[in-house]
Structure formats: C-alpha cells, structure tokens
Amino acid sequence: MTAVDAVDLEMQPGEFVTLLGPSGCGKSTLLRMIAGIEPPTTGTIEISGRVVNDVAARVAVPPEKRKLGMVFQSYAIWPHMSVYKNVEYPLRYAGVARNLRSERVHDALASCDMAEYSERYPHELSGGQQQRVALARAIVAQPALLLLDEPLSNLDARLREQMRLELKRLHVELGLTMLYVTHDQSEALAMSDRILVMDRGQILQEGSPEEVYRNPHSITVARFLGVKNIIRGTLVDSTHARLGPHVVPVTARGDVSVDDPVVLAIRPDAITRPQPGSNAAGELQGRIRVVEFLGTEYEHEIVVGDDVALIVTAPDRLGDMGDLIELSVNPDGANAFPDRGDDSERGDVE
Amino acid sequence: MTAAAPPTRMPLPEWVRSELHRRSGRAILVRLVLTIIVAVLVVFPVAQLVIGSFREGGPIRGGPFTLENYRQALSDAASGELLFNTLGFAIGQTIVPLIIGVVLAWVVTRTDVPWRSFWEYATISLYLIPLLAAATAWSILLANRTGIINVLIRKYTPFDGFDVFSLGGMIFVQSLYLVPLVFLVVSASFRSVNPEMEDASRVFGASPFRTFLRVTLGVSRPSVMSAAVLCFIIGIGSMEVPLLFGFSSRVDVYTTDIYRALRVRFPPDYGRAAAIGVLLLMISLVVLWAYLRNIRHTQRYVTVGGRGARIAPIRLGLWRWVVFAGCAFFFTLTLVLPFAAVALGSLLPFIGRPSRALYSRASFDNYESLADNAVIWRAVKNSLTLAVGAGIVVMILGAFIAYIVVRNPSRWSRGLDYSAALPLTIPAVVLATALLFTYISLELPGGFRVFSTLWILGMGYVVYFLPIAVRQMTGPVIQLSSELEHASRIFGATQRATMVRIVLPLLVPALVGGGVLAFVTFLREFTTSVLLFDVGTEVVSTVMYSYYANGRMPYVAVMAVAMWGVVVVAMFIAQKLFKTKITF
C-alpha cells in the first residue's frame, strides 16, 4: 500500500500552500515525511536548500535537525509543562540564550493573544486557547517552514472561522512559509495562495483557489471542492449536455466528444432562476422537494425529470415546497467530464 | 525503495530484514537486551523444567531420559487425592470470590447503597492485606478447639464449630482475599459498559436485576472469565494457605507436595517436583485454552464507549439497607476481625483456649523479644532490599517493554510482549521451581553463585511481577499520544532528550503506582520465597512461616501486625504524595 506516490511539490518562501483531500488520501503522511517523523521509501526532500531526505543516498535527517514548526491536530501540548515552558521548548533547542528566551516567548504568546496565560497549565485552558499555545510554540523559533496538520478540525464552527482569520493574519504579518493540511474545502479556499488537491497519494490538481474552484480538472476534484450536484448525462454538442429530459449548457472538460456519456458537476449556485429579460423559460423544469433556510442563503432540493435531485442555493427563496419552477444553468459552474464508469467516481453519481 | 540485496548475501527472513532496515542501532540494542533478560528469567527456566522432568533424578542431575518421574508422581498412593484436593481447592477459591466480587462490583458501580466509595476503598485495602497475616488471624479465630469464634459458637449456639484446618477452611480463607482481585477486574468492565445499553434494556421491559444479569454481566463476560482464570491459576500455584492450613492436617495439594519434595525430603526429590510442576503447567494451559476459545468473538463484547455519562444508580429502596448490612458484615469479617485477632494474638504468651486467665497475661513481651532478634532484623533488611530493588527493576523493565510494544508493533516486540506475559499463565510454584532448577548450580566466573543470594529471590520476584508491570505501564503509554513526542522532536529535541523531558515525566505517576504495588506484593510474597530462600537470605514471610511451623504463633502475630502496618503506610504515602490509584 502506497500512501504517497510520486508527489512533486515545491514551495516558495512566504507561500501558503494547502494540501486538500479526503481522510486517508496521504496528505498527512506527506506532511509527516516532510517533518521527518515518517521515512519515505524513495525520493528526496529539501528544506531551505538542504537535503533532509534522499533515499538513494541514504540521507535521512532526524526531525529535530530540520528547524521546522508544526501544529498538530491534537495540539500535542505537553500537559506537564506550563504554557511558558511549552513555548520556550523550541528555543532551548534552537540554541537561544536563556536571557533572550523570555522576550521571544512573550512575543510569540502575544501575537497569539495568549500573553496573560503564560503561567497556566494546559488542562486549565479551553480548546481554542490550547490551539493558540500550539501555534505560539510553532512560530516562536521562526521556523523555515510551518506545518499545520488539520489544526482547526477539533474546534467548533465559530472558533474555527476566528482561528482561520488569525492564521492568515500571522502568515502575512510574520511572512511565514506555511504548509497546511485539511479536508475542509472552505478552509483551503479561504486561506491558501495555492491549493494541491490530493487523492490516493497523488496530486490531482494544483493552482490558486480561484483556478481550482472554477476550473476543476476532474470529477474528483470538483467533488472535493464541494460541488454537490454530480449527475450522469450525455454530451449533445461541445457546449450542451442532456440531463434527463433536458438539455443544459455546460463546459466540456477533458477528452469528450458528442454523444459520449459524461458526468456533470454543477455547483449549487450555478443553477438560477432565468434572467427576467430573456425568454421566461429556463433550460430546466423542476419541482421543489425541500427548502432549507441556512441564514445567508436558501438551499433547495429540486427534482428534475424522473428522479434527479439537484441542490440549488440562492440568496432568495425560489418557491414553496411542491412548486414547479423554471431554472437555467450557468455553464461556467457546470462542467462535463468524461464518464469513465470507474467505481471510485461512481460513488456519488446519481 | 526496494533496493535489491546483493546476491551474495544470505537471504534473511522478510521480517528480520524489515526490522533491521527500519530501526536504528540503539533501538535494536534495547530490544536485544530486553529479549535476553526475558529469556533468562522466563523462557529458559521453563524450558529447563520441562526437559528436566523427563530425566532421571530430575533437572539438576541431568541423567538419561525417562518417564520415571511422571510414573512416580502419578502412581503415588495418594495421587488421586492429591489431584482432587488441588482441583477442589482451585475451583472452590475461584467460584466463591467470583460470586462475591461480582456482586460487590455491581453494588459499588451501579446501586445507590450508602457509602459506595467507602466500600470500594475497603475492597482495595483488602487487596493489600498480606495473605500470610490474614491466614494467621484465621487460625487464631477458627482453629478447631482454640479458635475464638468456634469457642463462642459452641458456647452460645447449638451448632458445632468450623475447623479452618481443612479443605473447606482453605477455600474459605483464600476466597476472602481473592475478592478484591475479581472486584478490580470486573468493576473496571462494569464501569465501561455503555449506560445506554442498560437504559435500553430497562426501556424494553427488563427489571434492574435482569438487566444486570443479561446486559451488564453479559457484555462483561470476558472480564469475568479472565478474573476466573486468574483466580484459578493463583489457586493451583500458591502455597501459603495450603501450607498453613493443609500441611499439618494432611490435606495435601500439588504445591505442598512440591514443597515436601524440595524442602522436607532429604535428599530433595527433584524429579518428582519437576514432573508435578509440568502437570500444573498443563492444567493451567488447558484452562487458558478453554478461556481463549470462549472469548473468541471479542467484538461481541465491545461495549466501551458511551459518552462517559454517569448513569443514575439503580434505586434499591429499602433493600439498600440490607445490602449495606451485607457490605458491613463482609468487611467486618475480612478486615476488622482478622486485624483484631492478630493484634490480640501478638500480645499473648501463647494461643490457646480463650480464657480470662490467658488474656490477663497480655503484654508487649513478644514485641520486645522479637526486637532483640538478629534473624528478624536480617529478614526485614532482606525483605526491604528485595521489595525496593526488585520493584525498581521490574517497573523499568515493564515500562521499556510496554513502550516498545505500543510504539513499534512488530513480530519481535509482540514476541517480547507474549514472553513477558507468560508468567501470568504459569502457576507461581512452577516458576519458582523452574528458577531453582536453572540457577541452583549456576556459578558465574569469579566463583559468584546466584543461589543462596538475594539475587535468585530478586529474579523470582521480577518474573512474578513482570506481566503485571507491563500491564500497569501499557495503558499509560497508550494514553501518551505519540504526537507529544513528535512535537518534541520537531521542535529540536533528540530522541533521548524527548524520553527524558517528555515521556519520563508523564509516566512518573504510573511508575510510582506500579512500583508501590510491586513493593507491597514483594513484601508479602511467600510461594517463591519459601522455595528459593537459604540461610542468610530469609525474608519476613519465610521467618513467619518457620515460627508458625514451630508453633510460635504469638511471634507470627507480631510480624503480621508489623507487615500490615508497613503496607498501609506505603499505600498512604503513594496516595498522598503521588496521587496514584491502585488498579489491576
């Protein structure tokens, strides 16, 4: 079983790169290899121009010699040390003189808003505060590279958004180089300079958040980025596909030709009411089965044709349950990929 | 990378190669040392015992191969009775504590009986009572003619007394002091039963009692079974109760037969002892096999989980006072009465029929004359040296093994784990016999002999406690998230610095807790000691036994009181200073 297979990744100083993928896709393994916790079976890893892993040359620098920072999913704050001792730890091994440490610790804690907690012990802190201590500890020694392994996954939704902003702020203020691992597409889209979408140990696509979101190269990437409508269809011409009884405008991706079976990935916000000016009928007709109010928007489940359920989000309510409505599709948000009929992709296909 | 090995090299097995490939030199050295220690302490002696049992004259003389030892051991006129007594004793002292322990665990973990936590505390103190001290107490209380309880029964009721110097008496005494073992194992399981399962049973119509039987006890079957197996193996391998209550009344079991063969007969009959040792080993293996077969489907019992929500205890109504009285009676019987008995006995010139004349002669003379006794002080010194030294050694060994097994699971470390757990499945008397045979004639370069020194006793203690030490440390090591260590490495600390600054400090409470348990266990250890001690290496328990055998009961009582005191103080210190909790 290969967890990480033939991955090429190069990072620029000051860059924020995110590895995005489902659990078990190898993204954490990749991070642990870079940290030196797990040995790669082949290939090389270089940090700041220094080779830390070169399997062919039998080079394997232990983790403590890599000058990295890391934030763990469980925070990994040492419970028997005070907050101060936890944050001071990396400085001791970075060779920082004793009298200079306290200022550095204080600065790191201050930039994470934890300055007044330095004498506390971890069990006296909330989850969010422990997270901040973990972050302060990770940045205190000014690592060449900061690794973050799903650091926000144990926080509740409100704290998660707050920490997301703070991570981004630290990245900008301190000019840190950060490699971030997550399975949450909204985190990846919100923070990264560059996203690498991973699955089964391989990188499927890389690019800026906008590029990856708007221009997924495969159905798998589209699914990881939160596209909820994944439906089988047939390509009618280079810009249209048949979906049940309807024909909708799409953007054809990859190697597909007319009459080929395709899998359509349609973003929930790409399905809208027809523009008032145009001919009032849309490409689709559907009946609203469920409407949910999500606060900033409404989410509708709309049944089209025999039994194809589409998720449609809109800032306004499109109608009541049971209503039959007209819908049109924005081809920028509707991609048609070749249907390889392969099991991995069939999973969520209707 | 799958680098092709040069064709000239010997093809090593796959797992050896992967082991060598993955580990650093130091990691392999640590494993090698641990493996050698476990082999010297456990595997090698047991092999010696088994092989020796097939040789003429037994293991030490190393004569030609023969079945004579087994023929003699089995064809002995008394051998049928011997087997009957051994199994009867072992089964009796399994069933009785199992019933009491399960009921007690249920009462403490699930009902609203008054003073719940007090009863739990009392059960754990019961675990710490030196069996030898308790047995002394019961011989004062229940000896046929002179026992205080028997005298009172005959005087005030129409019933006859109960002679503790019998098979029934042996089962009675041994059972009382195995209750805490069952309690600790079973109550841990009861606590981890998802309370919603019990709620579900109630919702679907079962009474509290049926729910307990069908659900709580049902899903806890593996724990109940493992408690039973532990009791049984202790029963066929322990010597103090059979020796104290059965030896004089000629109720022999296999352990006392081994004692006769090795320590009473002259010259010692090594062949017979070895053959009986192997028979005992076979019995325990059969029981273990049955146990493992019975709990094959472990996933049927996986119940741990829930959300740790404390369920409302079952309301017993007025019955709670009945249960309360039952608890009070049980602990009076097992804790208060025996302590009163040894305290009283230690003040008397001799133990005889209770009478005003006898009690009026109570004094501290026994204490004074024992305080002047050089042998006693030598034994105390030996006992303390052994309890502290072997305690430290065994906990370090246990911590290393637990750490390697948890952190680097591989065939090698699993093999180490199993070998270290082996003594748990071997009756204590068999282990001691095996060690005796292996090291009695061993002479190291420089004329240093292991036998007749404290070293052989220390080895025996370490083997005996090693499985418990590994178990004590495994849980804490599992709970120690490996991310804590990874973090330390990433932030610049070496492997060794990580061990010293992160792993060790976090394991200290567990090490101290296990160390105190080892200390207490060794202080009162008897079976191994009585087979391995020699002149000059007496320990407190063997001196107690020699006074007992010579009829100096008041002296035995004095030592029992002292032993009791030391154990209580040790536990108190451990709990107050290190906040450790005794678990098993």
Side-chain angles (χ1 to χ4, degrees):
Chain A
M1 179 68 197
T2 312
V4 176
D5 191 15
V7 167
D8 274 311
L9 164 64
E10 215 176 314
M11 288 180 68
Q12 301 303 318
E15 206 182 4
F16 193 126
V17 174
T18 298
L19 298 171
L20 173 67
S23 56
C25 76
K27 55 193 192 310
S28 288
T29 310
L30 182 58
L31 204 70
R32 291 155 65 85
M33 284 178 180
I34 295 170
I37 301 166
E38 211 149 312
T41 49
T42 180
T44 60
I45 300 172
E46 232 175 88
I47 298 171
S48 310
R50 181 166 72 127
V51 176
V52 292
N53 274 108
D54 183 344
V55 176
R58 291 184 171 267
V59 174
V61 174
E64 64 266 24
K65 301 230 162 67
R66 298 190 177 205
K67 298 190 169 58
L68 298 174
M70 185 158 175
V71 179
F72 292 83
Q73 192 170 3
S74 66
Y75 315 145
I77 304 283
W78 302 301
H80 61 303
M81 297 183 186
S82 65
V83 166
Y84 181 90
K85 288 278 176 198
N86 262 285
V87 179
E88 185 204 25
Y89 197 91
L91 294 177
R92 161 191 303 251
Y93 292 105
V96 175
R98 195 174 286 272
N99 52 346
L100 301 178
R101 287 185 207 154
S102 85
E103 201 186 321
R104 297 267 301 264
V105 171
H106 182 83
D107 287 350
L109 284 171
S111 62
C112 298
D113 275 341
M114 287 295 289
E116 64 267 44
Y117 295 96
S118 66
E119 293 315 310
R120 297 277 188 95
Y121 276 81
H123 69 267
E124 301 168 309
L125 303 177
S126 68
Q129 291 170 328
Q130 291 188 19
Q131 171 72 281
R132 286 162 193 272
V133 175
L135 199 56
R137 183 179 64 178
I139 60 175
V140 70
Q142 291 159 359
L145 172 62
L146 178 55
L147 306 171
L148 301 109
D149 188 3
E150 308 226 7
L152 306 185
S153 61
N154 285 336
L155 299 177
D156 63 47
R158 192 180 54 81
L159 263 177
R160 193 152 48 210
E161 268 174 39
Q162 190 187 336
M163 282 306 290
R164 203 161 82 184
L165 286 171
E166 281 193 43
L167 275 175
K168 191 64 188 169
R169 176 179 60 80
L170 278 176
H171 172 235
V172 176
E173 276 176 15
L174 304 179
L176 293 164
T177 312
M178 289 160 90
L179 182 56
Y180 190 95
V181 157
T182 184
H183 63 265
D184 180 322
Q185 80 279 2
S186 58
E187 277 173 26
L189 294 171
M191 292 191 284
S192 324
D193 297 324
R194 187 149 58 101
I195 294 178
L196 282 81
V197 183
M198 281 189 78
D199 190 33
R200 301 177 187 209
Q202 290 183 318
I203 292 176
L204 302 179
Q205 187 173 355
E206 71 171 283
S208 72
E210 293 87 346
E211 266 169 43
V212 177
Y213 187 73
R214 294 187 184 141
N215 218 348
H217 287 177
S218 69
I219 198 81
T220 318
V221 174
R223 189 182 299 140
F224 291 163
L225 289 164
V227 178
K228 288 177 180 164
N229 299 310
I230 312 251
I231 309 141
R232 282 229 155 72
T234 319
L235 203 64
V236 178
D237 61 47
S238 61
T239 55
H240 287 86
R242 178 170 294 281
L243 169 62
H246 307 285
V247 173
V248 295
V250 296
T251 311
R253 304 271 177 199
D255 188 17
V256 282
S257 44
V258 174
D259 287 341
D260 276 358
V262 289
V263 179
L264 302 172
I266 309 175
R267 294 207 309 266
D269 60 334
I271 306 174
T272 53
R273 276 265 180 73
Q275 291 296 319
S278 65
N279 56 344
E283 300 90 5
L284 287 172
Q285 276 187 331
R287 196 176 288 283
I288 301 177
R289 188 150 70 185
V290 180
V291 186
E292 288 180 336
F293 176 51
L294 301 183
T296 54
E297 59 186 11
Y298 288 84
E299 189 170 278
H300 311 73
E301 192 187 36
I302 298 177
V303 183
V304 172
D306 285 342
D307 196 22
V308 177
L310 291 175
I311 303 293
V312 177
T313 55
D316 300 307
R317 202 179 174 102
L318 296 179
D320 290 323
M321 294 193 204
D323 285 0
L324 193 65
I325 56 169
E326 297 282 329
L327 294 164
S328 63
V329 175
N330 175 1
D332 289 343
N335 292 294
F337 298 98
D339 183 358
R340 296 205 186 81
D342 120 52
D343 281 338
S344 70
E345 302 206 331
R346 190 168 291 156
D348 298 10
V349 174
E350 293 209 15
Chain B
M1 183 190 69
T2 44
T8 47
R9 213 186 277 168
M10 272 271 287
L12 291 165
E14 211 285 311
W15 70 270
V16 176
R17 266 187 294 136
S18 72
E19 199 83 34
L20 294 176
H21 187 75
R22 284 208 312 259
R23 318 243 174 261
S24 70
R26 207 190 311 148
I28 290 177
L29 189 69
V30 170
R31 280 147 180 265
L32 211 56
V33 169
L34 289 176
T35 309
I36 290 170
I37 291 174
V38 171
V40 166
L41 288 179
V42 185
V43 183
F44 188 53
V46 172
Q48 282 272 326
L49 174 79
V50 175
I51 296 168
S53 70
F54 290 103
R55 309 190 81 159
E56 201 177 299
I60 293 162
R61 308 217 166 80
F65 283 93
T66 169
L67 286 175
E68 182 61 18
N69 298 323
Y70 287 94
R71 201 188 60 75
Q72 271 192 12
L74 290 172
S75 68
D76 194 298
S79 77
E81 199 191 327
L82 205 57
L83 183 66
F84 173 83
N85 285 345
T86 303
L87 292 181
F89 174 65
I91 293 170
Q93 59 92 64
T94 300
I95 292 172
V96 177
L98 208 58
I99 292 170
I100 302 177
V102 165
V103 170
L104 206 53
W106 178 71
V107 166
V108 166
T109 60
R110 283 293 192 262
T111 70
D112 64 345
V113 73
W115 298 12
R116 276 207 295 179
S117 51
F118 177 79
W119 302 129
E120 178 167 13
Y121 196 80
T123 314
I124 289 165
S125 350
L126 196 57
Y127 180 68
L128 302 170
I129 290 179
L131 190 48
L132 213 53
T136 311
W138 284 105
S139 71
I140 294 173
L141 289 168
L142 276 183
N144 196 18
R145 286 196 330 281
T146 59
I148 300 169
I149 294 179
N150 280 337
V151 170
L152 291 177
I153 287 177
R154 290 203 185 99
K155 194 164 171 190
Y156 294 109
T157 73
F159 301 108
D160 198 16
F162 172 71
D163 186 9
V164 78
F165 290 85
S166 63
L167 189 58
M170 285 157 61
I171 293 174
F172 170 74
V173 173
Q174 179 102 349
S175 292
L176 293 184
Y177 299 95
L178 283 177
V179 166
L181 184 69
V182 176
F183 176 87
L184 286 169
V185 174
V186 174
S187 68
S189 171
F190 284 1
R191 285 210 169 91
S192 67
V193 172
N194 183 348
E196 287 183 352
M197 287 193 191
E198 296 179 338
D199 294 346
S201 164
R202 298 293 303 279
V203 168
F204 295 126
S207 68
F209 182 67
R210 285 206 159 267
T211 298
F212 168 65
L213 278 188
R214 304 270 313 262
V215 177
T216 318
L217 201 55
V219 292
S220 299
R221 197 169 86 184
S223 313
V224 175
M225 301 279 293
S226 80
V229 170
L230 267 175
C231 286
F232 183 86
I233 290 171
I234 289 174
I236 58 175
S238 79
M239 195 129 64
E240 48 267 76
V241 167
L243 213 48
L244 296 188
F245 296 120
F247 204 57
S248 55
S249 53
R250 277 280 167 184
V251 183
D252 266 8
V253 294
Y254 277 150
T255 49
T256 42
D257 195 70
I258 289 179
Y259 181 79
R260 267 188 222 283
L262 291 177
R263 296 241 114 168
V264 178
R265 258 180 233 164
F266 196 83
D269 191 345
Y270 293 134
R272 185 186 174 96
I276 289 179
V278 173
L279 286 178
L280 280 176
L281 194 57
M282 302 301 289
I283 295 174
S284 96
L285 288 180
V286 168
V287 169
L288 262 171
W289 174 80
Y291 164 69
L292 291 175
R293 254 188 76 82
N294 203 290
I295 59 153
R296 264 171 313 175
H297 307 287
T298 44
Q299 63 279 17
R300 288 187 197 163
Y301 306 103
V302 173
T303 59
V304 184
R307 280 155 289 120
R310 295 294 300 153
I311 45 158
I314 294 162
R315 294 180 179 284
L316 295 176
L318 280 178
W319 279 100
R320 60 204 286 255
W321 295 107
V322 177
V323 176
F324 179 83
C327 289
F329 173 75
F330 179 73
F331 287 108
T332 307
L333 191 70
T334 52
L335 280 170
V336 182
L337 265 185
F339 185 77
V342 285
L344 176 67
S346 71
L347 300 174
L348 298 178
F350 61 91
I351 310 289
R353 267 185 87 83
S355 65
R356 191 150 298 163
L358 180 61
Y359 292 149
S360 66
R361 291 170 63 191
S363 73
F364 283 99
D365 288 353
N366 296 321
Y367 287 85
E368 275 167 34
S369 57
L370 278 183
D372 289 337
N373 189 320
V375 176
I376 295 273
W377 287 112
R378 190 167 69 198
V380 168
K381 199 175 134 235
N382 286 343
S383 274
L384 290 177
T385 311
L386 278 168
V388 172
I392 291 172
V393 169
V394 78
M395 288 318 294
I396 291 173
L397 267 181
F400 265 109
I401 292 174
Y403 185 83
I404 285 177
V405 170
V406 172
R407 282 288 186 264
N408 304 307
S410 71
R411 269 192 223 190
W412 189 353
S413 50
R414 244 175 299 142
L416 199 57
D417 193 23
Y418 289 144
S419 324
L422 214 54
L424 205 58
T425 67
I426 302 174
V429 72
V430 179
L431 269 177
T433 314
L435 278 174
L436 178 98
F437 289 146
T438 310
Y439 296 107
I440 194 167
S441 52
L442 179 76
E443 201 173 313
L444 294 176
F448 178 76
R449 297 190 55 189
V450 178
F451 203 74
S452 304
T453 67
L454 289 180
W455 290 98
I456 185 89
L457 283 161
M459 284 164 73
Y461 290 3
V462 168
V463 181
Y464 176 69
F465 200 78
L466 189 59
I468 304 170
V470 173
R471 272 179 63 162
Q472 291 271 331
M473 294 314 294
T474 302
V477 172
I478 289 174
Q479 279 174 7
L480 189 71
S481 153
S482 60
E483 286 196 343
L484 293 175
E485 290 163 61
H486 292 157
S488 168
R489 296 293 298 277
I490 286 165
F491 293 123
T494 57
Q495 169 98 59
R496 188 181 308 194
T498 302
M499 286 303 240
V500 174
R501 298 202 52 201
I502 307 292
V503 179
L504 191 64
L506 289 173
L507 291 182
V508 158
L511 279 168
V512 171
V516 170
L517 192 60
F519 176 84
V520 169
T521 308
F522 296 159
L523 215 52
R524 65 186 213 198
E525 206 290 328
F526 179 72
T527 305
T528 308
S529 313
V530 82
L531 288 179
L532 297 180
F533 86 98
D534 204 347
V535 179
T537 62
E538 306 90 347
V539 291
V540 172
S541 58
T542 61
V543 172
M544 274 172 89
Y545 179 67
S546 66
Y547 280 131
Y548 182 94
N550 293 327
R552 310 288 292 270
M553 288 300 289
Y555 283 6
V556 185
V558 170
M559 295 179 76
V561 170
M563 218 179 202
W564 215 312
V566 170
V567 166
V568 168
V569 169
M571 284 317 301
F572 184 77
I573 290 174
Q575 268 170 349
K576 287 290 165 231
L577 247 54
F578 299 100
K579 307 205 174 356
T580 52
K581 212 177 162 212
I582 288 294
T583 49
F584 194 81

